Amino acid sequence: MSRKTILPKRINRRSFFILFCVFLVYGYLIYRIFDIQFVKGKEYKESLEKQNTTKVTLNSGRGTIFDRNNKPLTDTKKRKLLIVDKNKILKDKELSDLVIDATKNLSTKKDFLYNVSSSYVEIEIDSMDFNLEKKLEEKGIIIEDRVYRYDESGILSHTIGYINESENKGVSGIEKDQKEILDNSNEKYLSVFKAGQVGGNVGNKYINNLEGTLEIVEDKKSARHIKTTIDLDIQKEVEKIVDKESNPTAVVVSDVETGEILAISSRPNFDQYKVQNYLKSTNKELINRATQMTYQPASVFKIVVLFSALENNVIDESYTYNCVGTEKVKNSEEEIKCINNMVHGHQTLTDAFSNSCNAAFLDIANKMNDIDIINTAKKLHLGEKVDIGVEEAKGNVDKNTDSRNLPIGQGSIEVTPLQINQMTQIIANNGTYKPLYLYDSVIDSNKNIVKMFRNNKEEEIISPFIVTRVKEIMKEVSNKGTAKILNTLEKGSGTKTGTSQVKINNKDTNNWLITGFYPANSPKYSITVVVEGVGDIKKDSNKSAVPIFKEICEYLEKK
């Protein structure tokens, strides 16, 4: 009786255990299917595709950088790419001859096969006759445009920056600053599937053109691009002008009213595909001189002294000074001289500024506290990063600058051309500060705006009364002062020039600067130019920054 009772219980336990194991196995299988299909499906698919496909890149795989008018600044260079099946070349003499004719420099079939381990050969050519292209396509040759990130012109190279080609990541400039937008975006490539691995894709024009299957992959829907404030036409003209100058240069052109940077140039230029060639160079080709190099502002700093003296009521429009060529430094017997030992004689305030009289401005500074001048410089945003996104130097404007160098912008005072341009924008914009900026928006492949970058910040830095006086005085520099060659400009300009004495390679030389606004009335552009390492300006007057400024204005006059 007891045995009849115990046996069914054992059977029930065993059945329950087997059933539990079956459910466990099925549960695990369901989990694995879900994991493969939904959780790691994309990862497994990509892994399978990597094993069974070869990728033929057709572009940089990065978002495009555009100018303000949606003209591309990158990805403009194109070459024809022929994808040639090796077996077809070996078997079809007519096809072989057509390809040789297209390349113009290959003479035998071995040229196609040399050191090529895959089943196809990539051949690039600059251009191709339409009829020849049609014949090749009829023979099953794949012909696509391959787009390169940069072209030979090197347009805006320092600001765009460059990429690490092995990783396709931004290293400098916009490429680095906007890497989250530009990296792995806008990719276009041919995916070559090995024979027997993947089935045909109906509707794809490249099916079975090679041994296996091909499909073109283009990521337009999720692609994102950067639209800048740069005006490509102005940028090209600026670079054309500075390329006539053999000395290193920096140029910034901005919109007075909005703060948009329209052009920014640095010379010498560099090849974005051969960065390694410049790593040990002493010419600083990889440095953006407009944003990363700091210069003594020299007499350009007299704008600061003038503004500070007027704002603090130290002088007014009735100020006069009799220049004898020298003036003593405050609380010292040391004297400074006017440039080239000039003796300017009796001068009004306008005369002293337009003649860039060192003695007169030392006299004005002697009547002031140094800290007031320093505070004015900071108020005009000198000695601080403008923060446009790309690499910038901060410069130096601090209270430790000595009384001898402060009025003439020498010594420890150093600023970037970009900072000087920002100061000029404030003056030209009737004393209202609009931060300079480089980025307009993030756009999609249809040029629709995804995100705006514009900064609506503005601040009145200089009172309208004082700024009007400063602008009128700056106009006289262009009319009869140190930049008087500009007086032939039809619409006039307001400027200030500067010459800083420096040592380059242990040799005494000069950096020449000019900053100003154009036109003279209702200014539209703020323009800053620096030319490094110019010797005697009397002998090298054509190498001054002023002629470059003039050419830029002449172009803008016609625009």
Side-chain angles (χ1 to χ4, degrees):
M1 195 68 183
S2 58
R3 299 185 74 172
K4 288 182 181 180
T5 306
I6 293 170
L7 186 59
K9 287 183 179 180
R10 287 180 178 174
I11 293 172
N12 288 340
R13 282 199 298 269
R14 187 176 298 170
S15 299
F16 177 79
F17 178 75
I18 293 171
L19 187 62
F20 174 77
C21 290
V22 169
F23 275 116
L24 193 64
V25 171
Y26 271 102
Y28 177 74
L29 289 173
I30 292 169
Y31 162 75
R32 287 296 294 155
I33 292 170
F34 179 83
D35 183 59
I36 293 170
Q37 186 71 27
F38 299 104
V39 179
K40 296 182 179 178
K42 185 178 180 181
E43 180 183 331
Y44 290 141
K45 182 183 177 183
E46 288 177 354
S47 177
L48 180 64
E49 286 181 353
K50 284 181 181 179
Q51 294 176 28
N52 297 322
T53 66
T54 300
K55 183 187 288 188
V56 180
T57 60
L58 298 177
N59 68 358
S60 64
R62 298 179 64 78
T64 304
I65 300 172
F66 290 93
D67 88 333
R68 63 190 296 105
N69 299 309
N70 290 324
K71 296 177 182 178
L73 299 169
T74 60
D75 306 275
T76 58
K77 178 183 177 181
K78 294 182 180 180
R79 299 189 75 197
K80 289 292 182 182
L81 178 67
L82 276 63
I83 310 294
V84 184
D85 189 314
K86 285 199 302 186
N87 289 331
K88 286 185 178 180
I89 287 292
L90 290 170
K91 297 174 183 177
D92 190 333
K93 185 179 185 304
E94 183 183 356
L95 174 59
S96 175
D97 291 341
L98 283 173
V99 174
I100 290 171
D101 189 28
T103 57
K104 296 182 176 64
N105 61 353
L106 299 176
S107 56
T108 66
K109 293 177 184 178
K110 291 181 180 179
D111 289 314
F112 300 113
L113 309 178
Y114 183 68
N115 277 342
V116 177
S117 57
S118 63
S119 61
Y120 67 92
V121 183
E122 299 178 40
I123 301 173
E124 285 190 16
I125 55 177
D126 292 322
S127 60
M128 187 186 304
D129 175 78
F130 175 77
N131 292 326
L132 179 58
E133 183 174 345
K134 190 175 180 180
K135 288 179 182 178
L136 285 167
E137 286 181 334
E138 288 173 353
K139 278 286 188 178
I141 299 300
I142 300 165
I143 303 173
E144 278 287 340
D145 285 331
R146 174 171 276 174
V147 181
Y148 285 82
R149 186 64 171 173
Y150 314 117
D151 64 20
E152 290 80 4
S153 71
I155 195 78
L156 198 68
S157 58
H158 291 87
T159 302
I160 288 173
Y162 59 91
I163 59 175
N164 178 330
E165 288 191 71
S166 62
E167 298 178 351
N168 202 29
K169 302 293 183 183
V171 176
S172 72
I174 297 173
E175 297 280 29
K176 178 181 179 181
D177 185 59
Q178 293 297 321
K179 60 184 178 182
E180 291 185 7
I181 301 296
L182 300 174
D183 284 0
N184 303 315
S185 179
N186 195 39
E187 191 173 20
K188 183 179 180 181
Y189 60 90
L190 277 172
S191 187
V192 184
F193 296 91
K194 295 176 184 177
Q197 296 289 348
V198 181
N201 185 354
V202 178
N204 193 303
K205 66 177 180 178
Y206 294 138
I207 298 295
N208 298 323
N209 279 9
L210 299 183
E211 271 192 15
T213 307
L214 289 95
E215 68 172 346
I216 191 163
V217 180
E218 188 170 8
D219 177 26
K220 275 191 172 182
K221 188 174 181 180
S222 62
R224 294 293 180 265
H225 314 277
I226 293 293
K227 182 177 179 179
T228 69
T229 61
I230 295 295
D231 186 308
L232 180 58
D233 294 335
I234 298 176
Q235 182 70 33
K236 283 182 176 179
E237 189 63 26
V238 167
E239 295 196 18
K240 179 182 175 183
I241 292 168
V242 297
D243 280 340
K244 293 185 285 186
E245 170 59 62
S246 58
N247 288 51
T249 59
V251 177
V252 182
V253 181
S254 64
D255 186 298
V256 164
E257 188 176 345
T258 64
E260 295 167 296
I261 296 173
L262 303 175
I264 183 166
S265 169
S266 177
R267 288 294 185 272
N269 210 347
F270 71 99
D271 187 332
Q272 290 153 296
Y273 286 114
K274 299 178 181 179
V275 174
Q276 67 279 2
N277 293 352
Y278 309 96
L279 297 177
K280 295 182 180 180
S281 172
T282 59
N283 296 322
K284 301 178 182 178
E285 290 94 342
L286 299 179
I287 297 295
N288 189 339
R289 283 172 156 80
T291 65
Q292 292 177 275
M293 287 283 285
T294 59
Y295 301 88
Q296 295 171 339
S299 290
V300 166
F301 198 75
K302 288 170 182 168
I303 295 174
V304 178
V305 179
L306 175 63
F307 166 40
S308 187
L310 292 171
E311 185 182 46
N312 289 291
N313 298 314
V314 173
I315 61 170
D316 58 25
E317 295 176 49
S318 65
Y319 172 84
T320 60
Y321 180 78
N322 185 39
C323 173
V324 296
T326 63
E327 179 63 50
K328 286 186 178 181
V329 178
K330 179 169 52 180
N331 302 321
S332 170
E333 291 301 312
E334 183 183 6
E335 293 183 334
I336 65 167
K337 298 178 180 180
C338 283
I339 192 168
N340 296 325
N341 296 313
M342 289 285 292
V343 176
H344 297 105
H346 181 79
Q347 300 174 108
T348 64
L349 179 59
T350 299
D351 293 334
F353 188 84
S354 60
N355 292 330
S356 201
C357 180
N358 288 343
F361 271 81
L362 182 58
D363 176 67
I364 294 171
N366 284 344
K367 302 176 190 297
M368 305 173 63
N369 294 318
D370 291 353
I371 193 63
D372 289 335
I373 299 174
I374 293 297
N375 288 339
T376 298
K378 291 181 178 180
K379 191 174 182 179
L380 292 167
H381 294 275
L382 295 177
E384 67 177 43
K385 292 182 179 180
V386 179
D387 197 22
I388 63 170
V390 299
E391 297 84 355
E392 286 185 50
K394 181 181 178 181
N396 180 61
V397 176
D398 61 39
K399 61 184 179 181
N400 295 321
T401 305
D402 60 85
S403 298
R404 179 191 186 281
N405 287 304
L406 184 61
I408 56 175
Q410 304 266 12
S412 62
I413 301 174
E414 291 197 346
V415 295
T416 65
L418 187 66
Q419 291 170 16
I420 294 173
N421 192 268
Q422 179 73 83
M423 175 185 69
T424 311
Q425 177 277 326
I426 294 169
I427 294 165
N429 197 32
N430 297 318
T432 300
Y433 162 66
K434 292 283 290 186
L436 300 184
Y437 66 99
L438 178 63
Y439 302 128
D440 178 90
S441 56
V442 177
I443 58 176
D444 63 20
S445 295
N446 294 318
K447 310 297 191 301
N448 297 314
I449 295 174
V450 177
K451 174 186 174 183
M452 293 293 297
F453 282 108
R454 289 177 186 173
N455 188 342
N456 295 320
K457 178 182 177 181
E458 64 176 57
E459 178 186 358
E460 185 180 288
I461 301 292
I462 311 175
S463 72
F465 173 77
I466 293 176
V467 78
T468 299
R469 190 70 192 110
V470 172
K471 285 168 72 175
E472 289 302 314
I473 292 174
M474 289 179 70
K475 291 177 188 178
E476 289 306 302
V477 177
S478 300
N479 290 335
K480 63 178 184 179
T482 54
K484 61 185 177 183
I485 69 168
L486 301 176
N487 61 21
T488 57
L489 288 173
E490 183 180 336
K491 296 181 181 179
S493 64
T495 59
K496 185 68 192 83
T497 61
T499 310
S500 63
Q501 290 78 46
V502 295
K503 278 187 180 290
I504 298 179
N505 298 325
N506 294 318
K507 182 181 177 181
D508 291 330
T509 186
N510 304 290
N511 290 334
W512 290 86
L513 304 86
I514 183 171
T515 195
F517 51 85
Y518 175 82
N521 300 316
S522 301
K524 186 175 180 181
Y525 305 101
S526 172
I527 306 166
T528 303
V529 181
V530 177
V531 180
E532 290 183 22
V534 180
D536 188 346
I537 196 62
K538 291 180 178 178
K539 297 178 181 178
D540 297 321
S541 60
N542 63 320
K543 285 185 173 292
S544 161
V546 182
I548 293 175
F549 184 98
K550 184 177 183 180
E551 277 198 70
I552 293 171
C553 290
E554 288 172 339
Y555 168 75
L556 295 173
E557 201 168 275
K558 300 171 186 176
K559 187 173 171 61

